[in-house]
Every structure is written in structure tokens, then in C-alpha cells.
Amino acid sequence: MQDHYYFVSWNVNGIRAVAKKGALKWIDKEPPHILGLQEVKAEEDQFPKDLFEHQYAHLYVSSSHKKGQSGVALFTDLEPESYSPCYEVDILHEGRINEIQFDNIAFFNVYFPNGKRSEERLAYKLEFYDRFFETIEARRKAGMSVIFCGDVNTAHRPIDLARPKENEEISGFLPVERAWIDKVIAAGYIDTFRHVHGDEPERYSWWSMRTRARERNVGWRIDYFFVSEDLKDRILDADILADITGSDHAPISLRLAKK
């Protein structure tokens, strides 16, 4: 029996497109206890059956009311005590959150909104951030530990993107967006990648497909695993799996010791 949990998060940018490439087959080498996918762009009955050979005991899908957009999916062999799509946060029902609870942990798989399209979408992104923060704080006040992962759609610090100066006025690196991550960290949540790797430069999780940016590593680190402070001593490893292709994002991982 493993002495730790292994979690993986990945924005797949379309689960059917990833399946056609066979880009999830690597999961079979070491199936994570929880696999959280974002931007699946499909209803549950549209999920390909041959994503990987491992047969997970549970699949939770939250799809967008707009067909072919957003959507999150959580695969697990754990036995969750509860599941929620968190409509108190995802008020537009865009398919943005899966929450399961196990081992006194509230685990959230989240596809945070993108604010680049318009001022209205940026405002919604910031409102979503605030509602999500209230939700995780409520779980913590109820005595639970918190883990959240996914595409946060914001790079935190200049080290987290290749060209910070050129993007200071672009959504995804605006001061108001970065300030929310500051608030999360100030409240005692830990950016697990930085906790493990310190200020290691040029480590990104997303690259524009239009400019062959991945080949040149002109990227952004916008995908995260955060944990509440009480889990700090249980962090064993956190990484970006940049060698795995198939999406414009790389998967990210977290290993957390069991109690």
C-alpha cells in the first residue's frame, strides 16, 4: 500500500482531441489517485472509452451549459465522502469545478475563467476568484484541509512567464489578478511547485500554439497545485511534466504523504 497520494492535473484543451492523439496513455504507467482534467469540452457520454487502460472507480464530470466549451472531469479510485460541482462558485454553470472530500481533505479541480476576451469576462474572472476563495476558507473553517489544482489562468510573478514586461497589461498577468494569488498565499495556502523548486526559472505550463512557443519555451506557469498550510509538512514533490505533449498545457503533479 502506498504511503502517499499522487495527484495529476491537466488542461487537455479538448478530451476528444487528446484521445485521438493517444496523449493520455502515460497515465497507465502510474495511475494517480486523482486525475483532474480541465477544458474537456465534452459531456460525460462523449468521453472516449480508450483514454487509458486503467479503470477508475469513479468519474465526476461538470460540463458547461454551452456545448463544446470549458468542462472539468475528475477520475479517482478513492472513495469520496461527497461530491459537488460548486455552483455557488460556478454560478453560470460553465463546468468549472469538481469538489470531492476524503480523508478530511476538500479537493478542488478547477478551470478558472480567462479574462482576455472582454472587460466583462475579466470582471467575472475576478468575481469567480473571490467566490472560490470564500468557499475554500469555509472548508478550512469547518476543520478540513484544502487542496486545489487546475488552470488558474494567471501567472503569479515575473519568474512565472517568459516575457513579463510585454504582458503587464494583458489579462493573465494584470496586477489585480496577481494580487488574488498574493491573497491566497497570505491566507496560508502554499504554491507547491515553488515550495519544492524555489525560484527555478523557465519552468512553464502553457505555451501559445500559434507561435510555436513551446519549442522556444516562451511560456507561462498558470497551472497550480495549492495546499492549505496544515499540509505543508506532507508535501513530498510537485512538478510540471513538460515532456508530456498533446495539449497547449503540460500536466502538473503533486505527491502528498498520507497521515
Side-chain angles (χ1 to χ4, degrees):
M1 187 175 177
Q2 281 187 320
D3 60 354
H4 70 276
Y5 292 117
Y6 174 45
F7 307 125
V8 169
S9 169
W10 194 13
N11 180 321
V12 293
N13 194 14
I15 193 140
R16 287 169 287 187
V18 160
K20 285 179 182 177
K21 301 170 190 172
L24 271 162
K25 300 296 186 184
W26 59 276
I27 289 294
D28 290 314
K29 294 178 182 176
E30 186 186 1
H33 294 95
I34 296 177
L35 171 63
L37 304 180
Q38 304 94 44
E39 207 171 356
V40 295
K41 300 181 180 178
E43 306 286 326
E44 184 174 348
D45 61 7
Q46 296 175 309
F47 276 41
K49 303 301 181 189
D50 58 348
L51 292 170
F52 30 73
E53 291 182 14
H54 183 75
Q55 296 296 309
Y56 276 101
H58 304 286
L59 167 60
Y60 302 98
V61 178
S62 182
S63 300
S64 175
H65 69 97
K66 294 181 180 179
K67 303 293 185 185
Q69 294 184 20
S70 306
V72 289
L74 189 153
F75 296 81
T76 185
D77 282 327
L78 302 174
E79 291 298 329
E81 297 152 18
S82 65
Y83 166 74
S84 173
C86 291
Y87 288 138
E88 74 274 15
V89 181
D90 185 18
I91 59 172
L92 297 184
H93 292 210
E94 292 182 338
R96 294 196 175 275
I97 306 185
N98 310 120
E99 179 197 1
I100 62 171
Q101 297 183 1
F102 65 95
D103 193 19
N104 203 45
I105 294 171
F107 185 105
F108 297 84
N109 171 44
V110 195
Y111 177 40
F112 290 84
N114 189 314
K116 288 181 180 176
R117 193 168 73 206
S118 65
E119 288 295 324
E120 289 77 17
R121 285 306 288 180
L122 175 60
Y124 180 70
K125 176 182 182 178
L126 297 175
E127 291 167 7
F128 187 101
Y129 275 176
D130 289 341
R131 287 193 298 272
F132 181 72
F133 184 77
E134 289 172 6
T135 295
I136 58 176
E137 285 291 270
R139 300 294 183 274
R140 210 159 59 153
K141 286 171 185 171
M144 302 194 75
S145 303
V146 172
I147 300 172
F148 73 88
C149 68
D151 178 359
V152 178
N153 258 315
T154 295
H156 182 211
R157 295 162 51 211
I159 196 175
D160 293 315
L161 69 167
R163 294 176 176 166
K165 281 291 180 187
E166 293 91 327
N167 289 285
E168 286 178 343
E169 298 181 5
I170 302 295
S171 178
F173 196 57
L174 294 174
V176 67
E177 295 166 317
R178 297 163 61 196
W180 182 79
I181 300 181
D182 288 337
K183 181 170 84 167
V184 168
I185 291 171
Y189 296 90
I190 296 164
D191 176 349
T192 58
F193 178 83
R194 287 293 171 215
H195 176 76
V196 172
H197 295 273
D199 286 342
E200 189 175 326
E202 299 180 359
R203 297 295 307 275
Y204 309 126
S205 66
W206 175 81
W207 304 262
S208 171
M209 297 177 76
R210 294 192 298 271
T211 59
R212 297 174 67 186
R214 193 164 190 164
E215 295 174 27
R216 297 177 290 121
N217 199 30
V218 180
W220 299 52
R221 189 176 74 94
I222 58 176
D223 300 86
Y224 301 80
F225 266 103
F226 275 94
V227 303
S228 51
E229 199 165 25
D230 60 299
L231 297 176
K232 179 178 180 179
D233 292 340
R234 292 169 60 183
I235 299 169
L236 301 177
D237 190 33
D239 213 347
I240 300 169
L241 311 179
D243 291 340
I244 294 171
T245 58
S247 169
D248 52 348
H249 291 252
I252 58 173
S253 63
L254 172 66
R255 294 182 189 272
L256 191 78
K258 295 182 180 178
K259 288 181 182 176

